[in-house]
Amino acid sequence: MAIERTFSIIKPDAVAKNLIGAIYHRFETAGLKIVAAKMVHLSQEQAEGFYAEHSERPFFKALVSFMTSGPVMVQVLEGENAVLRHREIMGATNPADALAGTLRADYADSIDENAVHGSDAAASAAREIAYFFSDEEVCPRTR
Ligand code: RTP
Ligand code: MG
């Protein structure tokens, strides 16, 4: 399996709970390297654009409202099979369904405020990385 990149968000609820370091520790322990990162407070336009695929869903308004409610950390993670590996570390969308030891089981309160986002495929990872980072902002890890 080749080295792959995925896109991650630590959502406003987890930032508010001071969990940035704990979540980074999970990524690093799992062998995922952080190759770009920044804190941003999303505008409504940014959040709507990011979640455009869900614009017709009943939860869209609440999702945009939540994602703009406070700062988030956005990062690019690099590693073997990074997209799937990251989704495994995150756990199911609804924390009630998430396996023990996953980020959402441990840190999320509800399906609406579920601590983290991760790309669901290689194509969406490329699109989401480009949504937040220029090529120069992503730092390949050579060691
Ligand atoms: P994410 O995109 O945030 O990583 O989450 P996901 O892939 O696990 O879930 P997705 O289907 O992409 O949905 C995006 C976010 O919308 C909220 N949601 N609510 N009430 C509902 O039925 C419902 N379904 C989705 C969740 O907060 C989810 O993370
Ligand atoms: Mg998703």
Side-chain angles (χ1 to χ4, degrees), residues 2-114:
I3 297 295
E4 187 176 66
R5 286 179 181 168
T6 192
F7 177 73
S8 148
I9 302 179
I10 301 177
K11 294 185 178 182
D13 56 329
V15 172
K17 292 180 192 165
N18 250 1
L19 290 169
I20 296 168
I23 292 172
Y24 275 15
H25 185 62
R26 298 274 184 106
F27 295 156
E28 296 191 323
T29 301
L32 294 172
K33 296 177 176 180
I34 299 160
V35 296
K38 61 189 169 193
M39 181 175 275
V40 284
H41 193 141
L42 298 179
S43 66
Q44 183 164 329
E45 293 68 32
Q46 271 178 311
E48 286 173 350
F50 183 76
Y51 279 118
E53 67 185 294
H54 295 310
S55 62
E56 303 304 322
R57 308 283 287 277
F59 57 81
F60 183 66
K61 237 181 135 180
L63 176 62
V64 170
S65 172
F66 166 59
M67 290 300 291
T68 58
S69 67
V72 300
M73 287 296 301
V74 295
Q75 43 279 321
V76 180
L77 306 177
E78 188 175 87
E80 274 193 26
N81 214 2
V83 171
L84 190 63
R85 187 87 192 85
H86 181 221
R87 295 284 293 191
E88 287 171 355
I89 294 165
M90 287 168 43
T93 308
N94 186 345
D97 301 329
L99 293 179
T102 61
L103 290 169
R104 282 167 167 163
D106 290 345
Y107 298 140
D109 292 328
S110 67
I111 190 171
D112 300 307
E113 304 208 354
N114 59 3

